[in-house]
Amino acid sequence: MATLPEIAALLGEPRFNWTDPTPWLALEQELGTAFPADFREIVDAYGSVMVNNQLYLNHPAPHLLHNLGKDIRLDLDLWREEDMVEYLPSPVGGNPGELLPVASAKTGEAIFLRVPDEPDGPWRTVVQEFDSPAWTLYEMTFGEWLLAYLKGSDVTLCSRNWAPDGPYYEFLP
């Protein structure tokens, strides 16, 4: 499993370093599922950022303009629309087997976490290419997927084009 130190070694040291679990607990209660630990750890460390001028990650702290909870609510509404359902392998939401929208890309991709079928089952990452009905399930946790992305592996998003000098992040305004 990918660790925050491995990600920080490629992306740069985190500077947000959030420690209050309150916004996570409120969002998890609303959605009916707890986020995987690796996702929370990464987002708590970095906050709301753009990675490689391509990938948007947001934190649930309510004072932030780019807020994970707000984005998830909007994305759930979008992906539940009748004409959007066919673009994903399963419904969106926080129930077992459903997809939880957690990130997006400037290049049109949506990144989802697949809620495990069993409480102790593994979380997986799904990337949907918004301009087509194509999606890919990655047998990776979010941290593993992000690490692969930062290393330039083909995980639907390709960082080489957006970060030719190496991975980096910047805070969202």
Side-chain angles (χ1 to χ4, degrees):
M1 178 174 287
T3 65
L4 185 57
E6 290 174 290
I7 290 168
L10 290 170
L11 189 56
E13 286 301 315
R15 297 181 308 215
F16 191 68
N17 300 313
W18 185 270
T19 58
D20 180 4
T22 304
W24 286 107
L25 297 174
L27 184 56
E28 289 171 345
Q29 183 177 7
E30 177 184 340
L31 296 171
T33 192
F35 287 90
D38 69 325
F39 179 76
R40 280 181 63 163
E41 181 181 37
I42 293 163
V43 174
D44 274 345
Y46 287 96
S48 292
V49 294
M50 181 185 287
V51 177
N52 295 342
N53 195 33
Q54 181 184 27
L55 175 64
Y56 297 100
L57 296 178
N58 294 323
H59 192 276
H63 72 279
L64 296 173
L65 177 62
H66 298 276
N67 177 278
L68 180 63
K70 179 180 144 195
D71 285 352
I72 287 176
R73 284 182 215 89
L74 291 172
D75 287 345
L76 287 174
D77 288 343
L78 170 75
W79 291 104
R80 286 176 175 152
E81 290 179 13
E82 185 177 335
D83 58 343
M84 297 302 289
V85 172
E86 67 184 273
Y87 289 92
L88 293 172
S90 58
V92 294
N95 295 316
E98 292 183 334
L99 302 175
L100 200 53
V102 296
S104 62
K106 182 188 280 189
T107 47
E109 295 84 2
I111 294 84
F112 298 84
L113 298 177
R114 186 182 181 284
V115 180
D117 293 322
E118 302 296 325
D120 59 347
W123 285 81
R124 297 298 178 229
T125 305
V126 172
V127 179
Q128 198 286 330
E129 299 177 57
F130 199 68
D131 59 350
S132 75
W135 54 266
T136 305
L137 170 67
Y138 292 95
E139 296 291 333
M140 305 173 177
T141 65
F142 180 80
E144 292 167 335
W145 178 86
L146 181 61
L147 187 60
Y149 166 74
L150 294 173
K151 289 180 175 180
S153 298
D154 183 5
V155 286
T156 307
L157 296 179
C158 183
S159 65
R160 289 180 298 276
N161 298 338
W162 291 88
D165 297 328
Y168 70 97
Y169 73 96
E170 56 190 310
F171 287 109
L172 293 172

